[in-house]
Amino acid sequence: MPVRTRVAALAALTATALALGAAATSQAGAAPGGTVQKNAAAKSASAQKKAAAPRFLAASELPPHPTGWTAGPVNDGFPEQLAYCLGEGVPAYDYRHRLFHTELDASAVQVTVVTGSAAKGKALADRLNEEIRTCAARLERLYPEIEAEGRFFGTLPVEEGATVHGLHTETSYGATDVNLLSVGRDGRTVTVVGWGRMGDFDDAPLAAFRKTAKKAVTKLY
C-alpha cells in the first residue's frame, strides 16, 4: 500500500513559519525531517506487513489427482466457490483466495484472512466451523430437491488447531457430489480449504486432504 505523505500538514507548518519569522522558520525546517522519518517508518511497517502476508498452498500440495492440479493466482475477496456453505455466514474481512482445478471433475479453493487479533481469529474460526457443521441442514431447507449429509472428521494438531469436515449432496435427478473442508488457525490468521468432486464419501481422499489441511496452516508463515 503506498504511503500517504501529509502534504496539508506540511503546508500549514510552512505558512506558520513565514508568519512568525526566523525562529518559527527554524522549527518549520525541522518538521519536514520529522515527516520523512514518519514516512520511512510507515514504509518499513508496510514492507513488514507485505513480508508477513500469509502464503497459500501450491498445486502440488493438494490431494493427488490423475491429471494433476493447476493453481490460479491469489485474488482478493471471498470465493463464490464456498458460498454454498459460507457465503452468507462470513463476517466482513479482507479475504484473499486461490482457486485450483483439474482437467476432470475435481476442484479446490483456499481462502485466507488476517483478523485484528488472536481472539478475533478464534471467533472467526469458530463461526466458520459452525457454518460448515450446519451446512447440510441449511441446504436441504433451502433446496428441497437436494439431500445432504455432513460429517465431522476430527481435529488436527497444528498451530492453534484445524478441523476437517465432509459434505455429500445428492439431487433428485441423480447428481452426487462430495466435498471436504477444513478450517485452520495460526494466531489471528484463519484459512479455509475446500476440495470437491463428483461422487460420495468413499471417493473422498480423506487422508491426503488431512495432510493438505495441515500444510495450509503450517505454510501460512
Side-chain angles (χ1 to χ4, degrees):
M1 179 180 292
V3 178
R4 297 181 179 177
T5 56
R6 298 179 179 179
V7 177
L10 186 55
L13 286 173
T14 303
T16 302
L18 291 173
L20 296 179
T25 303
S26 175
Q27 293 177 359
T35 303
V36 170
Q37 291 178 350
K38 290 180 180 179
N39 287 345
K43 288 180 180 179
S44 176
S46 178
Q48 291 177 1
K49 182 178 180 181
K50 289 181 179 180
R55 294 180 297 165
F56 281 74
L57 291 167
S60 60
E61 294 164 331
L62 293 173
H65 190 275
T67 69
W69 290 91
T70 298
V74 175
N75 292 314
D76 293 334
F78 193 86
E80 63 180 14
Q81 286 76 8
L82 292 176
Y84 66 95
C85 268
L86 301 176
E88 297 181 358
V90 293
Y93 280 111
D94 292 330
Y95 298 93
R96 302 172 73 223
H97 69 275
R98 167 175 274 180
L99 304 180
F100 305 84
H101 70 271
T102 66
E103 294 181 7
L104 296 176
D105 61 342
S107 62
V109 58
Q110 181 184 10
V111 59
T112 297
V113 58
V114 181
T115 67
S117 66
K120 290 182 178 180
K122 182 180 184 303
L124 177 59
D126 291 344
R127 171 73 175 272
L128 295 174
N129 275 307
E130 178 63 14
E131 292 292 326
I132 295 173
R133 188 186 68 81
T134 59
C135 182
R138 282 185 285 112
L139 286 176
E140 288 190 337
R141 184 173 66 252
L142 293 172
Y143 306 101
E145 72 278 10
I146 290 180
E147 291 185 4
E149 178 188 358
R151 294 184 185 181
F152 178 63
F153 291 118
T155 61
L156 299 173
V158 53
E159 299 300 340
E160 275 66 59
T163 55
V164 178
H165 306 260
L167 176 70
H168 175 253
T169 59
E170 183 173 357
T171 67
S172 58
Y173 51 85
T176 63
D177 292 279
V178 60
N179 292 271
L180 297 174
L181 301 108
S182 69
V183 179
R185 183 170 71 91
D186 184 354
R188 62 178 184 153
T189 302
V190 178
T191 188
V192 178
V193 180
W195 171 98
R197 60 160 290 182
M198 293 186 292
D200 55 31
F201 284 119
D202 291 337
D203 301 307
L206 183 57
F209 184 79
R210 283 194 174 107
K211 293 180 180 179
T212 295
K214 188 172 183 179
K215 182 67 175 180
V217 178
T218 60
K219 190 176 181 179
L220 287 171
Y221 297 107

